[in-house]
Each structure stands twice: as C-alpha cells, then as structure tokens.
Amino acid sequence: MKDVLVRLLLICFRVFPVKHNRIFFISYYGQQYGCNPKYISEFIRKKDKEGRFELIWGFTRSMNEVPVHPKIKKVKLFSLSAIYAIATSKIIITNYRMPTYFVKRENQYYIQTWHSSLRLKQVEQDAEEFLPAGYLKMARRDSNHTDLILSGSQFSSETIKRAFWYEGEIFEHGMPRNDLLLSRQNTKKKETMLRLGLSEGQKVVLYAPTFRKELSPEIYALDFLRLKYALKKRYSGEWVVLARLHPHLLPFSSSILGEYQVKDVTAYPDIQELLNISDFLITDYSSLMFDYMVTKKPCFLFVPDAEQYQLKERSLYFKLDQLPFPAAGDMRHLLIQIDQFDDQLYQKKIKDFTTSIGSFDEGIANEKLYERIEKICFESKRRELDEAV
C-alpha cells in the first residue's frame, strides 16, 4: 500500500516543474551515504564553486545519523519532501534498483551507477534461477527507466548488455568510487586512520567476507593471531586486523572474531575508505576484490566452501584459478600462500587480468560524469529557454 500511495503522489507532484539543476541521490535503498552516489555528489559539491547544483539525498535512517556536508540537503524517504524532491529532480542517481513506486517523468534523467566495477558472482538475468520473482520484476522495470549505466570494464559492459534487460547507453569510464583508490594526492587515508584510532605507522589487513544464505560462522572464522604473525614475518611492521562483516552476521560476530585483537569495522559507513587504508585484503566472493585490484596491493581469497557456494548460492563468472588472487581453502594454505607470496608474479597476473577484462578505471570517472551531468542539466535548460523565446 505504501508503494502505491507514493506512486500516486509522484504522479500528482507532476504539476510542479522539474528543476533543471536538482539532483537526487540514493544509495542501497536509502540505508547509507556511500558507494558511487556519494563520490559523485562529493565531486559535484567540490567542483561546483558557483553553487549551480542543488544536491539532495534520500535516507531511511534518522537525519541526525547521517553526517553530510551542509550544502547537501537530506530528506527522509517516503516523506512528502522526499517524494516532491524525486518528482522534481532533473537527474536521479542510485547504485541499486529503484523500488516499484518510482515513476520517471519524460524530462527526467536516471543514472544507474550499480555497486560493483566487476562481478565474480553472476547477477540479474544470468542468475535468474537464484533470484526472487519480485526482484526480477523490479529489475526489468528499473532498466526500462534507466538512461545511463556506469561500467568499470568491457567485461562489465558485455554483462550489462546481456543480463540487465537494458539497451541504452553505457558510460565506460570506470567507477567513481574507485577514483579514491587511484588518487595520487590521497589525504583521506590519514583522516580515516585517525577516525579509527589507528597510528600512521600501523599496517592494516582488512577481512571483508560476503554473505551466504546459510549462516555458518565456521565458514568465516580465521585464526587472526596466526594471520598477524604470518604478515609480520613476511612484511615486518605492526599489523592491525580490521573485520567488516555483513549485517546479517552481527549475531555471530563474537564467534567469528573471537577474543583476538580484531577491530570490528562493520558499522563503518564507507567500505572504500577502508580499502584505501588497507595494505592487505582478505575476502571470498565479494566484488571488493576488483575494486581493490586497482591498488595492486595483495588480495587473498579465503574460500573453504568454494564448491558448495556455487551449488547453493550463485554461479561465478570466473573460475577461482582464473583470478589473479591466491585462493585458499583452509587456514593452513592461507598462511603458506602468504609466506610464499611472489609480488612480481602477482603484479604480472594483475596486469594480464586487467587487460583481459578491459578495465576502464583510470581515476577520472567523476570528472567525466560531471561533464555529462553539466550537459544534461544546463543544455536542456538552454533548449527550454530557446523554445520559450
């Protein structure tokens, strides 16, 4: 009933004109201020010295819980102010599917950034047998509304063409959120380290596993003491372990993280900032591996359930041995791989894999998209004025 009511209100609010300079952002259905939409809005805010754009974010959480720059307006999703903002924004930008209540106006422009530069797990139509019918219906509808989809690689572009029920334009300039990882003047690292209470000299290993339907804590459990010892032996220095778990795993966090000196950063709002400070990443089937790949730092896969995962959860686009990242099925092999890690060979594998997928990430995604957004907003306004004259 809520979706129906919101849809009716969106239609009613069409009596108000679309504001040519208004952009509405939403990330993960309004649950966070992050991912590609965050980096796009932050770039626009900093680049737009004259204040030409009006930036509005929609959240499901309390407005006090989401710290954003004062120049960015926050609205509570499903409120009248949010519905009005959606109905009157020239551009709508999201990283996920818009809910079924969304009704795009003829002179609006919808940018779908998606939430990964490349995927290991099959998605959308490629994973149709694993996805709920309701989601598939919403996804098809959302693709029909979409005017532009961002792509991180040629491989991703081909996936979009095949599996996203989409025949429109694909913006092939990389992921805006990866610009941070490719930045040469990276001041954000010191800020993040300070925010987490870490000293500048510490080395960081991030453990960020993905979610499984069957919540078995033993699948995620690492021996963090032995891990820290292996990293210190291989690379020297003082190592700190950060663990970012899926929200569904929070009830099991104590059994996964144990009583070791592990810093739980599950609640940290921006995973990209965590990747940015990390010297070493351990994940499993998460697309984070491909974001982190642009840093060329060591990434290892801990996959004790590799065969079962593909049978029960999702098929994969790549076999694990096709990836440049070392994969281990148990703790013993993970420690051996760390000890025997050959960085020169790893760099070659990264280069070969990046070439094979046709990566678009060069650190200029935000700049390129900003240029497009300027044209969408202000050229259309000029056309309207010319027609009025």
Side-chain angles (χ1 to χ4, degrees):
M1 287 298 295
K2 182 188 284 188
D3 280 5
V4 173
L5 178 60
V6 173
R7 188 184 304 179
L8 288 173
L9 287 171
L10 282 171
I11 293 173
C12 291
F13 282 161
R14 290 185 177 193
V15 298
F16 299 102
V18 169
K19 302 291 185 180
H20 76 280
N21 65 334
R22 179 175 290 167
I23 307 175
F24 188 88
F25 298 86
I26 183 171
S27 178
Y28 292 111
Y29 300 115
Q31 296 176 13
Q32 64 166 240
Y33 179 61
C35 197
N36 290 309
K38 170 189 172 180
Y39 287 92
I40 296 167
S41 66
E42 286 294 320
F43 188 89
I44 295 173
R45 179 185 65 78
K46 293 173 183 177
K47 184 86 171 179
D48 181 32
K49 304 296 185 182
E50 300 172 3
R52 298 175 301 162
F53 290 101
E54 180 186 3
L55 309 179
I56 304 176
W57 268 80
F59 297 103
T60 55
R61 300 158 58 190
S62 167
M63 298 297 96
N64 296 328
E65 295 178 9
V66 189
V68 300
H69 194 275
K71 289 186 179 180
I72 297 175
K73 182 180 178 181
K74 298 180 288 186
V75 293
K76 188 72 176 289
L77 285 178
F78 301 110
S79 67
L80 286 177
S81 57
I83 297 169
Y84 173 76
I86 293 173
T88 57
S89 292
K90 176 63 181 178
I91 298 178
I92 295 162
I93 299 177
T94 183
N95 70 335
Y96 227 87
R97 297 299 188 178
M98 284 292 282
T100 53
Y101 65 71
F102 175 57
V103 181
K104 191 182 76 170
R105 297 174 68 170
E106 186 177 347
N107 53 346
Q108 287 184 313
Y109 197 91
Y110 176 33
I111 299 176
Q112 171 62 257
T113 74
W114 204 244
H115 45 273
S116 62
S117 56
L118 183 65
R119 307 139 196 92
L120 179 60
K121 297 174 287 187
Q122 291 187 358
V123 295
E124 306 303 87
Q125 194 171 5
D126 288 344
E128 202 163 3
E129 61 184 298
F130 297 99
L131 299 173
Y135 174 81
L136 293 170
K137 181 179 180 181
M138 179 177 67
R140 291 189 184 95
R141 190 173 183 276
D142 183 76
S143 286
N144 287 333
H145 284 311
T146 303
D147 295 292
L148 191 71
I149 292 183
L150 274 56
S151 171
S153 66
Q154 188 60 49
F155 188 95
S156 289
S157 294
E158 295 304 319
T159 303
I160 291 168
K161 293 173 186 177
R162 182 186 64 252
F164 277 57
W165 306 281
Y166 179 72
E167 297 179 356
E169 183 182 357
I170 299 174
F171 201 67
E172 298 180 325
H173 294 285
M175 292 289 105
R177 69 183 193 179
N178 283 350
D179 284 1
L180 173 67
L181 303 179
L182 291 163
S183 174
R184 293 182 180 178
Q185 298 178 338
N186 197 338
T187 59
K188 179 61 70 174
K189 181 172 182 177
K190 289 184 179 180
E191 295 176 15
T192 306
M193 294 284 280
L194 183 63
R195 184 175 178 181
L196 291 171
L198 303 176
S199 63
E200 193 172 339
Q202 285 181 303
K203 294 182 179 180
V204 176
V205 51
L206 175 64
Y207 177 48
T210 192
F211 171 68
R212 279 85 155 173
K213 295 175 186 175
E214 295 183 3
L215 299 176
S216 302
E218 62 272 10
I219 294 176
Y220 304 91
L222 290 176
D223 188 328
F224 294 106
L225 286 178
R226 292 172 69 194
L227 173 63
K228 289 173 69 174
Y229 176 80
L231 289 170
K232 185 174 183 178
K233 179 184 175 184
R234 177 68 176 78
Y235 296 101
S236 74
E238 180 189 354
W239 285 83
V240 58
V241 179
L242 306 183
R244 185 182 174 91
L245 305 178
H246 191 280
H248 289 173
L249 293 172
L250 289 180
F252 308 95
S253 60
S254 59
S255 59
I256 294 173
L257 303 183
E259 299 178 356
Y260 308 114
Q261 295 178 347
V262 178
K263 193 172 187 65
D264 188 351
V265 292
T266 301
Y268 193 86
D270 191 335
I271 183 64
Q272 226 66 10
E273 291 180 4
L274 297 178
L275 292 176
N276 186 45
I277 66 170
S278 297
D279 301 284
F280 199 99
L281 173 66
I282 299 177
T283 185
D284 42 29
Y285 312 102
S286 173
S287 61
L288 288 177
M289 68 179 79
F290 298 120
D291 284 8
Y292 195 69
M293 182 173 67
V294 305
T295 69
K296 299 181 180 178
K297 297 176 184 178
C299 172
F300 283 63
L301 308 183
F302 184 66
V303 286
D305 60 338
E307 292 184 11
Q308 290 183 337
Y309 185 88
Q310 296 183 65
L311 291 174
K312 297 181 179 180
E313 299 282 340
R314 199 78 68 88
S315 298
L316 307 179
Y317 284 119
F318 304 97
K319 295 179 180 178
L320 295 180
D321 60 8
Q322 292 178 307
L323 301 173
F325 319 110
D330 55 46
M331 194 68 207
R332 186 177 70 87
H333 283 97
L334 177 62
L335 297 176
I336 290 172
Q337 287 178 334
I338 292 173
D339 184 61
Q340 299 178 353
F341 181 68
D342 183 337
D343 187 68
Q344 187 173 357
L345 177 60
Y346 179 70
Q347 296 302 325
K348 182 181 185 305
K349 287 183 176 181
I350 289 285
K351 182 179 179 181
D352 291 345
F353 185 80
T354 301
T355 301
S356 71
I357 63 170
S359 176
F360 301 135
D361 278 314
E362 296 180 352
I364 56 172
N366 282 295
E367 183 69 49
K368 291 293 184 181
L369 190 59
Y370 181 82
E371 294 171 1
R372 170 60 66 89
I373 287 172
E374 274 192 314
K375 291 180 180 179
I376 294 167
C377 290
F378 299 110
E379 284 191 3
S380 64
K381 182 61 178 178
R382 283 194 290 270
R383 285 196 298 269
E384 289 175 14
L385 293 173
D386 291 341
E387 291 173 3
V389 173

